[in-house]
Amino acid sequence: MTTPSSAPSTLAALVHCACHEQGGGGPFDPLRLRKDFPILTLTVHKDKTLAYLDNAATTQKPASVVCVLCEYYQACNANVHRSLHYLAEQATLRFEEARRKVQRFIGAPSERSVIFTRGTTEGINLVAQAWGRRNLKPNDEVVLTGMEHHSNLVPWQLVAKETGAKLKFVPVLDDGALDLDAYGRLLKGRVRLAAFTHISNVLGTVNPVKQMTAMAHAAGALVLVDAAQSVPNRPVNVADIDCDFLAFSGHKMLGPTGIGVLYGRLEILERMEPFLAGGEMINRVTLEESTWADLPQKFEAGTPHVSGAIGLGVAVDYLQRVGMETIRAYDEHLARSMIARLDAIPGVRVFGRAPERGGAVSFEVEGVHPHDLAQFCDKDGIAIRAGHLCAQPLMQRFGVPAVSRASVYFYNVEEELDRLVQSILKAKAFFHGA
Amino acid sequence: MELDELYQDILLDHFKHPRNYGPLPEPEVLVDELNPTCGDHIRLTARLENGRVADVRFDGQGCAISLASASMMSELMRGLTPDEARARAADFVAFMRGEKDLDPDTLGDLAALAGVRQFPLRIKCATMSWHALEKALGKLGG
C-alpha cells in the first residue's frame, strides 16, 4: 500500500496487496495498465467484455485506490484534527499528506489553499455562495460560457437572482471553440468574475484558460476554472494559469466518489466568510458568536471524507507514475482516432472540432435516438453516455435534444473503438432497415 | 433479453410511422412534458367532444420507445371518457413499473412495450407521454 512512512507498520500485514507499484514500471502501455483495474476484466450481459467508454462521467479505479479505502477503515479509521489518540493522529497525518499530494499535483503555492469538497459542484457552489453572494452587487456582471456544465451555470443563476448581478455568456462557435473576440467584448462591462470550463464535457474543447484568465484579470475580474475534465487529463498548474479558483472532482481521476478539491488564491480565501458552518471550521464559539478556523479548515465544516481524500492521494500517485503529459497525448490520440472512425460512417455527425481536445467525443447518428444507440452499445458490453450531458444550453446551441458521448481514458484501446463502430452500424441497420 | 424483444416490430412500426403526429390546430388543452434526465420532450394536444376524448395528438423528440408509446396511447384514447382514460393511464403506468399485471388480451399494441419492463432505465421513456396525458386530463377537468 502507499502509506506515508509515519503510518502504522501493521497495515501491510493487515491487507496483503502488491498494488502500491501500480501505474509505474516501463514505458506507457495501456494493456499493462488495464491490469491494474479489476473492473475492466468484467464481462457483462453474460459474455461481453466490458468496453468502458464513459470516462467523462466517472473513471474506473485502480486496485491501489480501492485497497487503500479498505485498509484505511480496517487499520486507521478515526476522526481527524480532534482526538488525541494513536489512530486519530495517524488518520490526520494521512489526510493532510493527501492534501499535500494534491497541492503538489496542481502546483498550488500552499496546502492552505487546497480545500477538500465533495466534488466540483460543491467547489463551485462554495465560491458562488461564500464569495458571489457577499461580493456581487446589482448590475455587476459574471461572464460564463455557452458550454458550461449545469454545475457551473445554475449556482450562478441562483446568486444572480439574489444579488441582482447579471450573467453574460461567451458564445460557442460552430467548431466547438469559444468566441474569444466576444469574450474580450464582454469583459468591457462591469465584470467581477469570469467562470469557465477548462475542457468541455460535451465537445472535448480545450479552452485557452491561461489567456482567458489574463484577459479577465486585465479587466479587473476574478477567475474560476471548472477543471473537472482537465485535471484528470493533462498537467494542470494553478500558478501557471494564475486563476483565482479552480475546482475538480476525485472520481473523474481514478479517485473515490464524494471527494473533490477547490483551489483558491490564499488572500481571497482569507477574506471570504465560511460556506458551511459547524464543527471543524471554528476557532472560538460562544452562544452569541464564533470566530473561524484558519485555512483550509474554515471551509471544511464537519467530519471530512477522510478515506476519500486518502484515496484521492493514492489516485494522484498513480496518475503521476503514468505521467500527465503521457495521458494527455494518448487521450487526444485515441479521441482523434475515434473521430476518424465516426466520420467514416454515413449519417454520423460529430460535435466539437476545436483544434485542441480532450477525450470526450459527442455525436449523433441520423435516425437513431441516443438512448436507443446507447441500448445497442450496452447490449454489446460498451458503456457510453446518452442524453443532454448536463449541458442543455449547449444542446440548444447545436439544435439537438440529446447526443451520444464516448469518452476515453488512458486504459482504453483502439479495439474498443472498433467495437463501438460495429455497434453503431448494427443500430443504424436496425432502425433504418425495417 | 434480446434487443429484438425490446424493439418489437409493432413498436418499430409506431416509431417510424407515428399515429396522430403533429399538434391539433385548436386544442382544448396543450401539455409540454420534459424528461429532465435525457432532454426528451413531448407536446400533447387533446380535445373532448360530447364528454369523450375526440382527439389526442402529439409531437416532439424522443427515443423509439417514448415515441412509439405516445403513438399507441394516442390511438387508444379516442372515444374514452376522461375517467376511463385516466384509469387506462394509471393501469399502464402501474403495469410498466411492475406494480400491476394486465390481461394480455386487453393490451393491444401496448403488449409490444411489455419488454421495456426488463430495462429499468427505459421505463420512464415508455411512461412519459402517459404522464402528459394525465396532466392534460387534469387540465380538461373532465
Side-chain angles (χ1 to χ4, degrees), chain A residues 137-313:
Chain A
K137 304 278 180 296
N139 298 317
D140 279 351
E141 291 172 2
V142 175
V143 171
L144 307 171
T145 84
M147 65 168 73
E148 297 311 309
H149 189 283
H150 295 162
S151 61
N152 194 30
L153 170 59
V154 183
W156 300 112
Q157 291 175 341
L158 280 177
V159 168
K161 208 171 181 179
E162 264 189 55
T163 60
K166 303 258 185 301
L167 304 182
K168 305 277 173 170
F169 298 93
V170 185
V172 179
L173 300 169
D174 287 343
D175 69 354
L178 288 175
D179 182 344
L180 291 181
D181 294 337
Y183 177 59
R185 288 192 294 277
L186 287 174
L187 288 174
K188 292 192 172 115
R190 280 181 58 177
V191 183
R192 302 289 312 280
L193 176 82
F196 40 77
T197 189
H198 192 172
I199 301 185
S200 163
N201 69 310
V202 176
L203 304 165
T205 309
V206 179
N207 290 320
V209 288
K210 189 174 175 178
Q211 179 193 354
M212 290 173 73
T213 298
M215 289 167 75
H217 282 170
L222 297 184
V223 168
L224 178 146
V225 177
D226 171 356
Q229 298 291 337
S230 63
V231 169
N233 164 267
R234 60 187 51 222
V236 171
N237 185 299
V238 294
D240 179 54
I241 297 170
D242 198 30
C243 54
D244 303 287
F245 301 102
L246 182 135
F248 57 99
S249 300
H251 72 95
K252 292 186 198 287
M253 52 184 284
L254 314 182
T257 53
I259 189 76
V261 172
L262 174 71
Y263 159 79
R265 196 186 290 280
L266 267 188
E267 51 268 38
I268 300 172
L269 291 177
E270 275 164 353
R271 284 200 302 272
M272 280 161 60
E273 291 287 299
F275 172 44
L276 301 176
E280 185 97 11
M281 48 73 72
I282 42 77
N283 184 9
R284 180 182 168 78
V285 178
T286 66
L287 287 175
E288 289 74 30
E289 59 182 6
S290 304
T291 57
W292 313 135
D294 286 338
L295 291 170
Q297 275 77 32
K298 181 167 85 173
F299 292 106
E300 292 182 356
T303 297
H305 188 2
V306 183
S307 63
I310 293 169
L312 176 58

Side-chain angles (χ1 to χ4, degrees), chain B residues 95-112:
Chain B
F95 171 67
M96 290 310 296
R97 290 179 180 160
E99 296 162 2
K100 188 170 188 174
D101 280 325
L102 293 179
D103 179 357
D105 295 338
T106 67
L107 280 174
D109 284 0
L110 292 180

Side-chain angles (χ1 to χ4, degrees), chain A residues 46 367-369 371-373 375-379 385-388 392 399-402 430-434, chain B residues 1-4 6-7 9 12 15-16 34-40 61-65 119 122 124-125:
Chain A
K46 283 183 197 152
V368 184
H369 189 277
H371 276 181
D372 296 318
L373 179 68
Q375 193 87 56
F376 269 72
C377 291
D378 175 63
K379 191 69 188 170
R385 175 83 190 270
H388 54 59
Q392 288 184 22
V400 290
F430 186 84
F431 287 101
H432 291 195
Chain B
M1 170 169 244
E2 294 307 312
L3 285 179
D4 50 8
L6 175 63
Y7 297 107
D9 288 345
L12 283 179
F15 169 56
K16 290 180 177 179
L34 271 177
N35 183 340
T37 60
C38 59
D40 282 0
Q61 288 150 327
C63 61
I65 292 165
F119 296 82
R122 305 301 299 277
K124 64 183 186 314
C125 308

Side-chain angles (χ1 to χ4, degrees), chain B residues 78-141:
Chain B
R78 200 163 291 164
L80 300 185
T81 66
D83 278 346
E84 288 167 344
R86 236 189 306 275
R88 198 84 206 249
D91 275 355
F92 177 73
V93 171
F95 171 67
M96 290 310 296
R97 290 179 180 160
E99 296 162 2
K100 188 170 188 174
D101 280 325
L102 293 179
D103 179 357
D105 295 338
T106 67
L107 280 174
D109 284 0
L110 292 180
L113 292 169
V116 179
R117 294 186 301 170
Q118 308 301 316
F119 296 82
L121 297 174
R122 305 301 299 277
I123 290 170
K124 64 183 186 314
C125 308
T127 55
M128 181 176 168
S129 57
W130 295 76
H131 291 306
L133 174 75
E134 286 173 328
K135 282 186 194 167
L137 292 168
K139 281 192 182 181
L140 285 168

